[in-house]
Amino acid sequence: MSAPLRVLVVANRSTDADLVQVVLGERLAPADLELEVELGLPAALSRLSAERFDVIVVDGLQTVPDVELTGALRTAQPETSLMIASGAPAGHVDLWARLDPAEDKVEEHAALADLLGRAIADAERDGLGVAVAHLDLSSHARGDDQLQHPPGDGVLREVTDRLLAHLRPGDTVGRTSDGELMVLWRDLDGAGPAEVAELGEGLVRTLERPFGPPALPVQVSASVGVVRHAPGWGPERTLCSAALALTEARARGAGTVVVFTPELREAAQHRTMMETELRAGVTEASDQIVLHYQPVVDLTTGQVVAVEALARWHHPVLGEVPPSQFIALAERMGLIRQLGDWVLDQAIQDAGALTHEGRELDIAVNFSVLQLDQRTVTTVQEALARAGIRPGRLMIEVTESALVQDEDVVVRTLEALADLGVRVAIDDFGTGYSSLHSLRRYPIDTIKIDREFVAGIGRLVDDEAICTSVVHLASSVNATTIVEGVETVEQYAFLRAIGCHQGQGYLWSAPVPLERLPEAIASCERVPPPSVGPRRARIAEASEARTRRRW
């Protein structure tokens, strides 16, 4: 007797998970199915790091961008089939996957590889070419507000029919193991990059008309990676090259066609190398990941009141890898929890020694949305207890764009942290999706103004007005304001004049290792707070007046 199929259902709500379980139970006998459920992407990634599954079914995570969600899950267990379940208006679930294959005319991946091998042999014998396209479909039902992920088998059959009608009789439509589609063109004459790109564009145009019943049309869009087989390649290398092109097409957005080039393969090899090195760098035995600290200054007194902990990756060969690269990479790889836990624990331990002239300094730590679940609350509690640090000295910084993902889970986590006494800040305020919604929905007590708006102070009246409006908004909800990226005395003077509370930036200090922090703090406090003269006061008042008129 074969082992039961191990399936992990990833959902945002228990009702979504129950619906998926019902559908799976209808299709597989109880003895053939071993079903587990995790609510929320962070919990699912944690589970996947410890257990192996045959199939992952995703439902109800529409607030997470498709590329990030599927990328994180596929990276966690690349050999596991990933399926998308989407709730339909009638209350049933369409499983877009191989548990219920579409009609026989759609070739499965193994069969397609065999067909491709024969097509390559024929084409090379006759001096012709072969091309392959890898399609990733997405859809939504017009007339209904619910975003639907890849369409159900009914729509998928319609998509297949339309593609087959668009192709020549000898060409083939195939299905990959995770439900995406592939197209094989045989016996092509003179198919260079431009001609191959046009083949892919033709597929996108073919899918422009809606699918499904007229009462509830489904608009399908496709990201397409396309490649022309090169002499000496086998079928697997050709299919892999199409998949690499599709990865780039997904990153550029729906409706995009990308033709494979050698540069794409080099980029993929670089990503693989970076992933391998980062995984090694995050291990406990490595000293590649270190913390630097940037002082935060009270704009009224000029005193340092806190420091922000910032992770840095010092690679022995690659050198300094920018955080913008390795933090995003850690999120895609499912390493952000391990990295984030280390940063949190190390920063809190270091905070025990963070004093200056008898004053305790607070510590700020950046959190990824993938860290924000109930487990995080326990992790923070334990780290604070080990270091003997008051919760009020810790501030958790979360980017505004991250707050709209897994919203209910994030709200509950941040509220639990706030109940502990930990402070919560919105980082990069004004650059995300819903600033006012964030202030109303989350337990925010600090707003960080992004450096993007600080750079224009003294030159751009709009940037000055934005800074002024954020300060007034924060004041109205009793939130502290911290401004990032302060580099000039003129910026300092303006921000002080409009009532901003704290600031950080190269005017005072760059982020420095812990051993250099006392020197950096002393240097910061040698920068005197600028006086707010009549001219600066008038500029600030004018900015405030412009803000009032706009609001």
mmCIF file of all heavy atoms in Angstrom, residues 2-7 28 31-35 54-55 83 98-99:
data_model
loop_
_atom_site.group_PDB
_atom_site.id
_atom_site.type_symbol
_atom_site.label_atom_id
_atom_site.label_comp_id
_atom_site.label_asym_id
_atom_site.label_seq_id
_atom_site.Cartn_x
_atom_site.Cartn_y
_atom_site.Cartn_z
ATOM 1 N N SER A 2 0.596 2.218 -0.893
ATOM 2 C CA SER A 2 1.423 3.408 -0.996
ATOM 3 C C SER A 2 1.129 4.353 0.161
ATOM 4 O O SER A 2 0.058 4.335 0.752
ATOM 5 C CB SER A 2 1.149 4.128 -2.328
ATOM 6 O OG SER A 2 -0.211 4.502 -2.414
ATOM 7 N N ALA A 3 2.128 5.170 0.466
ATOM 8 C CA ALA A 3 1.975 6.122 1.562
ATOM 9 C C ALA A 3 0.951 7.189 1.183
ATOM 10 O O ALA A 3 0.810 7.537 0.007
ATOM 11 C CB ALA A 3 3.320 6.771 1.867
ATOM 12 N N PRO A 4 0.221 7.723 2.156
ATOM 13 C CA PRO A 4 -0.756 8.770 1.848
ATOM 14 C C PRO A 4 -0.073 10.037 1.348
ATOM 15 O O PRO A 4 1.086 10.303 1.666
ATOM 16 C CB PRO A 4 -1.459 9.001 3.190
ATOM 17 C CG PRO A 4 -0.498 8.521 4.215
ATOM 18 C CD PRO A 4 0.252 7.380 3.582
ATOM 19 N N LEU A 5 -0.820 10.790 0.571
ATOM 20 C CA LEU A 5 -0.320 12.050 0.031
ATOM 21 C C LEU A 5 -0.314 13.088 1.147
ATOM 22 O O LEU A 5 -1.347 13.380 1.743
ATOM 23 C CB LEU A 5 -1.217 12.524 -1.115
ATOM 24 C CG LEU A 5 -0.719 13.705 -1.940
ATOM 25 C CD1 LEU A 5 0.454 13.282 -2.810
ATOM 26 C CD2 LEU A 5 -1.847 14.242 -2.813
ATOM 27 N N ARG A 6 0.884 13.651 1.449
ATOM 28 C CA ARG A 6 0.988 14.660 2.496
ATOM 29 C C ARG A 6 0.748 16.038 1.876
ATOM 30 O O ARG A 6 1.498 16.495 0.993
ATOM 31 C CB ARG A 6 2.354 14.643 3.174
ATOM 32 C CG ARG A 6 2.653 13.388 3.948
ATOM 33 C CD ARG A 6 3.668 13.677 5.048
ATOM 34 N NE ARG A 6 3.067 14.463 6.125
ATOM 35 C CZ ARG A 6 3.732 15.359 6.861
ATOM 36 N NH1 ARG A 6 4.997 15.610 6.612
ATOM 37 N NH2 ARG A 6 3.131 16.008 7.844
ATOM 38 N N VAL A 7 -0.301 16.718 2.323
ATOM 39 C CA VAL A 7 -0.696 17.996 1.760
ATOM 40 C C VAL A 7 -0.697 19.051 2.864
ATOM 41 O O VAL A 7 -1.248 18.833 3.949
ATOM 42 C CB VAL A 7 -2.105 17.921 1.134
ATOM 43 C CG1 VAL A 7 -2.522 19.283 0.595
ATOM 44 C CG2 VAL A 7 -2.130 16.881 0.022
ATOM 45 N N LEU A 28 -10.046 12.626 -2.868
ATOM 46 C CA LEU A 28 -9.143 11.576 -2.422
ATOM 47 C C LEU A 28 -9.747 10.865 -1.216
ATOM 48 O O LEU A 28 -10.345 11.504 -0.341
ATOM 49 C CB LEU A 28 -7.785 12.162 -2.039
ATOM 50 C CG LEU A 28 -6.944 12.741 -3.191
ATOM 51 C CD1 LEU A 28 -5.730 13.455 -2.632
ATOM 52 C CD2 LEU A 28 -6.513 11.654 -4.146
ATOM 53 N N ALA A 31 -7.821 7.440 3.444
ATOM 54 C CA ALA A 31 -6.580 6.685 3.630
ATOM 55 C C ALA A 31 -5.462 7.169 2.712
ATOM 56 O O ALA A 31 -4.282 6.896 2.957
ATOM 57 C CB ALA A 31 -6.841 5.199 3.383
ATOM 58 N N ASP A 32 -5.837 7.882 1.640
ATOM 59 C CA ASP A 32 -4.845 8.351 0.674
ATOM 60 C C ASP A 32 -4.380 9.777 0.944
ATOM 61 O O ASP A 32 -3.572 10.315 0.187
ATOM 62 C CB ASP A 32 -5.428 8.291 -0.742
ATOM 63 C CG ASP A 32 -5.755 6.869 -1.160
ATOM 64 O OD1 ASP A 32 -5.075 5.946 -0.664
ATOM 65 O OD2 ASP A 32 -6.699 6.682 -1.953
ATOM 66 N N LEU A 33 -4.907 10.396 2.005
ATOM 67 C CA LEU A 33 -4.653 11.815 2.209
ATOM 68 C C LEU A 33 -4.258 12.087 3.658
ATOM 69 O O LEU A 33 -4.943 11.684 4.590
ATOM 70 C CB LEU A 33 -5.913 12.628 1.870
ATOM 71 C CG LEU A 33 -5.829 14.149 2.028
ATOM 72 C CD1 LEU A 33 -4.805 14.726 1.071
ATOM 73 C CD2 LEU A 33 -7.210 14.770 1.793
ATOM 74 N N GLU A 34 -3.133 12.770 3.834
ATOM 75 C CA GLU A 34 -2.708 13.252 5.146
ATOM 76 C C GLU A 34 -2.619 14.764 5.060
ATOM 77 O O GLU A 34 -1.725 15.322 4.422
ATOM 78 C CB GLU A 34 -1.348 12.655 5.527
ATOM 79 C CG GLU A 34 -0.873 13.053 6.913
ATOM 80 C CD GLU A 34 0.478 12.449 7.253
ATOM 81 O OE1 GLU A 34 0.742 11.308 6.808
ATOM 82 O OE2 GLU A 34 1.265 13.120 7.949
ATOM 83 N N LEU A 35 -3.595 15.456 5.666
ATOM 84 C CA LEU A 35 -3.787 16.884 5.458
ATOM 85 C C LEU A 35 -3.384 17.676 6.695
ATOM 86 O O LEU A 35 -3.760 17.344 7.819
ATOM 87 C CB LEU A 35 -5.269 17.155 5.144
ATOM 88 C CG LEU A 35 -5.616 18.495 4.512
ATOM 89 C CD1 LEU A 35 -4.988 18.617 3.132
ATOM 90 C CD2 LEU A 35 -7.128 18.623 4.395
ATOM 91 N N ASP A 54 4.212 16.544 0.109
ATOM 92 C CA ASP A 54 4.128 16.199 -1.311
ATOM 93 C C ASP A 54 3.511 17.326 -2.122
ATOM 94 O O ASP A 54 3.860 17.534 -3.288
ATOM 95 C CB ASP A 54 3.292 14.926 -1.499
ATOM 96 C CG ASP A 54 3.879 13.740 -0.764
ATOM 97 O OD1 ASP A 54 5.078 13.469 -0.946
ATOM 98 O OD2 ASP A 54 3.151 13.097 0.012
ATOM 99 N N VAL A 55 2.557 18.035 -1.519
ATOM 100 C CA VAL A 55 1.828 19.094 -2.220
ATOM 101 C C VAL A 55 1.584 20.239 -1.237
ATOM 102 O O VAL A 55 1.292 20.016 -0.060
ATOM 103 C CB VAL A 55 0.469 18.582 -2.760
ATOM 104 C CG1 VAL A 55 -0.295 19.718 -3.450
ATOM 105 C CG2 VAL A 55 0.668 17.440 -3.737
ATOM 106 N N MET A 83 0.217 24.317 -5.531
ATOM 107 C CA MET A 83 -1.065 24.482 -6.192
ATOM 108 C C MET A 83 -1.774 25.700 -5.610
ATOM 109 O O MET A 83 -1.574 26.052 -4.451
ATOM 110 C CB MET A 83 -1.926 23.239 -6.002
ATOM 111 C CG MET A 83 -1.216 21.950 -6.392
ATOM 112 S SD MET A 83 -2.324 20.538 -6.442
ATOM 113 C CE MET A 83 -2.952 20.545 -4.783
ATOM 114 N N ARG A 98 -2.572 19.382 -10.534
ATOM 115 C CA ARG A 98 -2.594 18.080 -11.165
ATOM 116 C C ARG A 98 -3.355 17.037 -10.381
ATOM 117 O O ARG A 98 -3.354 15.878 -10.760
ATOM 118 C CB ARG A 98 -1.162 17.601 -11.423
ATOM 119 C CG ARG A 98 -0.285 17.527 -10.184
ATOM 120 C CD ARG A 98 1.153 17.351 -10.587
ATOM 121 N NE ARG A 98 2.056 17.359 -9.471
ATOM 122 C CZ ARG A 98 2.484 16.259 -8.840
ATOM 123 N NH1 ARG A 98 2.043 15.086 -9.216
ATOM 124 N NH2 ARG A 98 3.325 16.347 -7.848
ATOM 125 N N LEU A 99 -3.991 17.382 -9.246
ATOM 126 C CA LEU A 99 -4.860 16.404 -8.595
ATOM 127 C C LEU A 99 -6.043 16.058 -9.486
ATOM 128 O O LEU A 99 -6.638 15.013 -9.374
ATOM 129 C CB LEU A 99 -5.387 16.959 -7.265
ATOM 130 C CG LEU A 99 -4.391 16.987 -6.110
ATOM 131 C CD1 LEU A 99 -5.076 17.494 -4.866
ATOM 132 C CD2 LEU A 99 -3.805 15.613 -5.850
#
